[in-house]
Amino acid sequence: MAAAVANSSGQLFQLFRSGEARTRNDLQALTGLARSTVAFRLDALLRSGYLLEDGVTSEPGRGRPSVRLRVNDAQTTILVADLGATHGRLAVCTAAGSVLEERVIESAIASGPRVVLDRVHKLFERLLRRAGRDRASLRGIGVGVPGPVDHETGRIARSISMPGWDDYPVADHMQEIYGLPVAVDNDANLLGLGEQSAIYPDVHLLLFVKVGTGIGASIVVDGQLLRGRYAAEGDLGHAKIIGVQEVCSSCGAVGCLAATASGRAMVRDLSRLGHQVHTSREVVALVRQGNPDAVRIITEAGRALGSVLSTAVSLLNPEVVVIGGDIAHAHEHLLGGIRETLLPLTQPLATAHLTVAPSRLRDHAGIAGAALAVREKIFSAAAVDADLERRARDQQSVVGDVILQ
Ligand SMILES: [Zn+2]
């Protein structure tokens, strides 16, 4: 299928990404393009660093050995930020997803986009230097945020969980600094994408639930995120639970799942009981110490999550439900609570083969997902063609300047 329509350099590049083509001859056989056309397109891909030569391959009966070509993702650098409500993680990665440098940052999302993104920019520069990568190898930026994002424009769709970020153009902000493609997405989306790709590559439908300061979820189908029309998909934290009287501190409604099962709700409940806790991580620490209040509260949170998840599981029939986020670090009690309500409330057909598991990538899932989103952004056929066109234009204008002088 791909071969029938492959013509542009970007489209030919996809045949190397999928592994269908490994040599010049493969490309010609797959596309039926003239030898000169293939040579011209490949030259552009090699010169601009999308492909590199990687030894020779000799196949029996195919005549002389031919040069093997492969996607140059190890030398291509990307910068990714996984920003939560209270802290985040920044990394310099290769486009293949290997982390070269990484650091955890405290970043109060409530201090607003300019403060947070300027800090991210400064630290990106420092990390890039530490990784020993030059600016020329940099191809794209990825940012995960703890709120809904308009995927097409990279703007924050709505900001009840991100005060001061309403409609903020995060992608444009980073694009202005770096002049490179920027992928921006909701953190739960990136967590789900990262986990699915690294741990469950063959799973058809995966549901990822992030339990951190708030609660969010994502649905990954055959490696692709399922998106709603207005970026509100996966906003499980504000599903209502009948009987819960607590007011949700982010949306103000009564009875939200997040008002009873989020890290913020657990901090509130434990504080009321006289415990000195301020963050999700401190809640987890208390659970780990075996504190009976903390264990009871996290188990109850799990039960509330399980009852909401029973609807999601009945509707979607996922093979895997992954629980991630800070609170999932105390997963024995949380998952115990989830199973307690999820299983009896859901038809056995939907749960017989269902895996409910803590995130295996843990704190790295967001970085892995953001790197994946950037790779798709910079290596898609359209992106590669646009980049090559821009390079050709730049070259022409340089030549023009020289002639004018
Ligand atoms: Zn709410």
Side-chain angles (χ1 to χ4, degrees):
M1 244 336 238
V5 294
N7 184 6
S8 72
S9 294
Q11 287 165 343
L12 298 189
F13 180 63
Q14 304 309 310
L15 297 173
F16 288 97
R17 287 187 71 199
S18 66
E20 288 168 88
R22 289 184 306 147
T23 64
R24 221 167 267 263
N25 289 341
D26 289 347
L27 262 197
Q28 260 180 276
L30 281 164
T31 62
L33 291 172
R35 193 171 187 83
S36 56
T37 308
V38 167
F40 183 73
R41 304 262 191 272
L42 278 182
D43 186 47
L45 289 168
L46 282 160
R47 261 189 299 120
S48 50
Y50 284 102
L51 288 177
L52 49 80
E53 295 184 343
D54 184 30
V56 291
T57 172
S58 50
E59 284 158 40
R62 294 282 297 271
R64 19 186 212 124
S66 44
V67 175
R68 194 166 43 217
L69 301 166
R70 69 172 172 82
V71 173
N72 178 17
D73 49 12
Q75 296 308 316
T76 303
T77 312
I78 60 178
L79 297 171
V80 288
D82 172 23
L83 303 175
T86 55
H87 57 273
R89 190 172 283 263
L90 309 183
V92 179
C93 300
T94 68
S98 305
V99 174
L100 302 170
E101 278 292 337
E102 173 169 6
R103 101 164 249 194
V104 174
I105 58 161
E106 298 300 318
S107 83
I109 213 80
S111 53
R114 289 187 185 281
V115 172
V116 172
L117 295 177
D118 284 349
R119 176 122 195 276
V120 166
H121 171 218
K122 273 198 194 94
L123 294 171
F124 267 165
E125 294 298 304
R126 207 176 294 169
L127 281 179
L128 197 58
R129 277 198 298 276
R130 268 205 347 228
R133 288 287 174 120
D134 60 20
R135 213 42 195 264
S137 72
L138 195 58
R139 286 290 171 90
I141 316 289
V143 183
V145 294
V149 175
D150 181 320
H151 175 67
E152 293 300 319
T153 61
R155 282 172 172 264
I156 305 302
R158 164 174 60 91
S159 65
I160 55 166
S161 50
M162 300 177 69
W165 291 68
D166 215 4
D167 202 34
Y168 193 80
V170 176
D172 289 352
H173 183 121
M174 299 311 271
Q175 218 266 337
E176 258 167 47
I177 296 172
Y178 290 98
L180 294 169
V182 182
V184 184
D185 213 330
N186 168 259
D187 58 353
N189 275 350
L190 296 177
L191 291 165
L193 202 59
E195 190 85 14
Q196 191 274 340
S197 160
I199 310 292
Y200 303 101
D202 301 323
V203 159
H204 164 57
L205 200 153
L206 176 143
L207 176 61
F208 190 101
V209 183
K210 180 191 179 188
V211 190
T213 306
I215 297 174
S218 60
I219 303 153
V220 187
V221 185
D222 295 331
Q224 302 288 322
L225 285 162
L226 190 70
R227 295 187 189 277
R229 178 65 183 86
Y230 298 107
E233 75 280 354
D235 207 358
L236 213 55
H238 305 284
K240 304 294 178 283
I241 301 183
I242 293 165
V244 168
Q245 294 303 319
E246 294 286 356
V247 173
C248 175
S249 59
S250 55
C251 80
V254 172
C256 289
L257 175 64
T260 183
S262 66
R264 192 182 278 128
M266 289 182 225
V267 166
R268 177 202 60 210
D269 291 347
L270 286 165
S271 301
R272 281 178 187 163
L273 293 169
H275 298 285
Q276 292 293 316
V277 287
H278 306 94
T279 65
S280 301
R281 291 185 173 220
E282 288 169 2
V283 172
V284 169
L286 215 52
V287 172
R288 289 237 172 96
Q289 289 162 22
N291 179 284
D293 289 336
V295 168
R296 178 177 53 76
I297 280 168
I298 201 168
T299 308
E300 277 169 12
R303 289 183 193 125
L305 266 166
S307 86
V308 169
L309 283 177
S310 73
T311 308
V313 167
S314 303
L315 190 66
L316 297 169
N317 186 203
E319 287 147 277
V320 186
V321 175
V322 180
I323 311 293
D326 276 348
I327 295 293
H329 286 280
H331 56 79
E332 337 50 76
H333 299 290
L334 189 68
L335 264 66
I338 289 174
R339 291 196 184 98
E340 239 179 77
T341 48
L342 172 60
L343 300 182
L345 289 173
T346 317
Q347 280 295 314
L349 185 61
T351 53
H353 304 287
L354 174 69
T355 301
V356 181
S359 165
R360 281 175 42 202
L361 290 185
R362 294 170 63 117
D363 295 338
H364 292 269
I367 291 294
L372 210 63
V374 176
R375 184 161 73 219
E376 282 313 304
K377 190 116 192 162
I378 60 176
F379 282 170
S380 72
V384 170
D385 285 333
D387 182 47
L388 293 179
E389 216 167 279
R390 184 184 54 76
R391 284 164 189 264
R393 262 202 319 270
D394 289 353
Q395 189 105 29
Q396 262 170 10
S397 77
V398 169
V399 172
D401 288 348
V402 170
I403 290 169
L404 281 174
Q405 281 167 9

